[in-house]
Amino acid sequence: MKTGKIRLHVALAAAMFAMTAHATDTAVPKPKMATPIPPQITTPAQVDSSLGTLSFTDGIPTPETAKKVYDNLDTMRATEVFLNGIPGASMVSIRAGLRKAGAVDSTVGIFETLMDSRSLFLTANTETIYFWNWMDLKNGPIVVETPPNILGVVDDLWFRYVTDMGNAGPDKGKGGKYLFVPPGYQGEIPSGYFVVRPPTFGNLLFGRAFMKGGDTKPGVASLKQGLRVYPLASASKPPKTRFINLSGKVMNTVHANNIEFYDEINQIVQEEPAGVYGPDMTGLFASIGMVKGKAFAPDERMKKILIDGAAIGNATARAIDFRNRDKATLIYPDKHWNTPFVGGSYEWLNDGARNFDARTMFFYAATIDTPAMAVAMPGIGSQYAAANLDVQGNPFDGAKIYRLHVGSNVPVKDFWSVVVYDPQTRSMLQTDQKFPSLSSARGLKPNADGTTDIYFAPRRPKDAGNWIQTVPGKGWFLIFRLYGPLQPWFDKSWSLEDIQPVS
């Protein structure tokens, strides 16, 4: 028995020795050119991430991991398309509204008795006489003749600034003739015009005339007398410019916040010159299937991703707009008033860098891009301050009472106003009041010391001389506007107080 056990142990030992020798003989020798590999440039077999565990075979993603990261990549790009495409989608929606109303070609829409809350326009005002026209250059150059004393702007189909007209434009408010030339136009350019070359065929012609003593009629009459829009080809005998009254019309010009958003963007991709929004943005659109000359037809997988991208993009835009984390958006460091033009640039540029969040903040809640609103020009144009939160940093509750105390000697050459908006539509808050606003130009009652108190509540508070109605169960936000802002606004020697809840 003992001899047998010894023989068994010897045999096992010999077998183990043979296996070890075989393993040593077949081990991969170290390559002659091998060097120490820094661990930070390699990828382990498994990596934990916000997407879950990511798996690799010597650095190569497994099929499951590849699918997971591609879904994430497409979702990120869909979200970026939403955030960067907001200006274009907004313009497409404005175009749809103007086309439906008929304010295209040689027909101009005027809000003859001002805009009220039935019209859905992003943070429009109730104090100036708007005129709107969709200008399409595909059939050749267009002539626009402007009357004196207006603020006019043309923005392209991606909502980029093209030119000012009127008080902030080259005609210096005296009126003039502008010639808008389409991309790639090779024809003769006649003299006698301010020549403008937009990068897109589709362009928004927008402007404001002003009331006199609270009366809209003089401004409307001036527009109808002096504003003309017609093709250059008909300049020798221009067709009559028609005017339609948009006041009181129920119309929507606000872009979609769901998967329909991407169809709005694709309209521009298909209609305008290839790459007109720059190669990076054009490539971003192409990465989710928007390519000029090709059908945008996402499959079921991509539709789910686009739905998700729109949801994330919309939530991100709303966070940027209503709970912005950038201190540079604050007009005053210790208050809750925001500026729509962070850094004072109408292109949202700072030392050559685009502030994408600042651009998103503006275009998700507003329209019309011009240096006249962004650059400090005392006495010219307009300035804006938005309040999304009360003095305590809370959103406004439509069931509660709030008060805005405005100091005396508001620094304006012309007038100032307050307009209340719905955070859902970013358009005027719809209440029993026709105009959810008050203005120093009409009907605002100051206090004996020159200050002004404005109350916001579902019902007029007792002894409230100035009241804007709100809606229980619905939030709101407001914009304080200064027309012809003066130097104390820009140097902040005059400032706004936060809005206070009133018990």
Side-chain angles (χ1 to χ4, degrees), residues 28 36 82 85 94 97 154 160 217 309 326 359 383 402 428 456 464:
V28 178
F82 188 99
I94 290 173
V154 171
R160 294 173 297 190
K217 292 179 182 177
D326 185 357
R359 185 176 68 179
Q383 288 285 303
Y402 298 85
M428 293 181 204
F456 310 88

Side-chain angles (χ1 to χ4, degrees), residues 33-46:
M33 301 298 292
T35 60
I37 303 299
Q40 69 268 23
I41 72 171
T42 64
T43 300
Q46 289 191 328

